[in-house]
Amino acid sequence: MPLRVIRAGYGSPERPDAFPDPDALDARAGLPAAVELLEGRRVAVLTGAGMSTRSGIPDYRGPDARPRNPMTYQEFMGSVGNRRHYWARNQYGWRFVDAAEPNAAHTAIARMESAGVVQGVITQNIDRLHEKAGTVEVVDLHGTYAWVLCTACGSRFPREQVSRYLDELNPGSYDGMAAGTDIEYAPDADATVEETEGFRVWDCPVCQGVLKPDVVFLGENAPAEKVALSRRIVERADVLLVAGSSLTVNSGRRFVRQAARVGKPVVIVNHGTTGADALATVKVDAPVDEFLTDLGLLLGA
């Protein structure tokens, strides 16, 4: 299938993550182009951090994103000091993510699923906002903040339960600390809490193994069963819609390649360039919440 990434007339990019994307349609031109490809077809959806910015959760690579150096899986597992630092910050971060509410982008996807347009959603986000919005067929590719996993025996615990135990182990740890307005948060439920020395972590009550949030860390692979489920969603669909993902890493980009290999159209809606623009049939640079709302209406959802 020939490429149909249509220039919108912004001029040549001076940097690879240009905002707006100079090689994309704007929303006005992008809507009819997207509808042409999606209407009457079974749609698989792949979403990233850009879906949740209007819910107050910052993204990783948008124009306003701050540089971050997230802890790797190897760092977390290799040092109890690193685990203390991580859990002390995550005690703030998970509550911030848990309090977030779905925005119009999540609602639009849920409505399109109810209308039979969307056949399944693969999300790289850990915030569970698709589920909160009512979407049923969701693969949380990178896990969710809501569970904690033992790396030794595989036992899983609700994050709320683990939080209570951590508070009991660390009475007064946050006394005198400013409330949420002075803390920077990240989409992986991290938070900028600097004083973490002496924070006590909770080991697995079943086997005393190391507990970690049931999310995919940097340097860790997405679970094979979730990758397989995601591939199945793309396989049974006629077209892939990507929303709010920079597709910088292979974790999400592989599904774009999967669709493109067999000639399935790929529609990418994102603010700025992505790592798979060359595989797009149509690329639109637009706010995902506004675009998906309008798209759903035009598709009868």
Side-chain angles (χ1 to χ4, degrees), residues 3-27 29-30 268-274 276-286:
L3 276 180
R4 198 156 70 90
V5 180
I6 307 172
R7 177 170 290 278
Y10 293 116
S12 298
E14 296 181 357
R15 56 192 175 95
D17 57 346
F19 296 94
D21 182 353
D23 295 308
L25 289 168
D26 58 20
I268 298 178
V269 183
N270 189 62
H271 188 35
T273 59
T274 83
D277 284 351
L279 299 175
T281 314
V282 166
K283 167 67 188 299
V284 183
D285 190 311

Side-chain angles (χ1 to χ4, degrees), residues 46-51 59 124-125 242-246 268-271 288:
L46 171 66
T47 67
M51 281 285 294
D59 64 6
Q124 300 169 90
N125 301 333
V242 181
S245 176
S246 64
I268 298 178
V269 183
N270 189 62
H271 188 35
V288 292

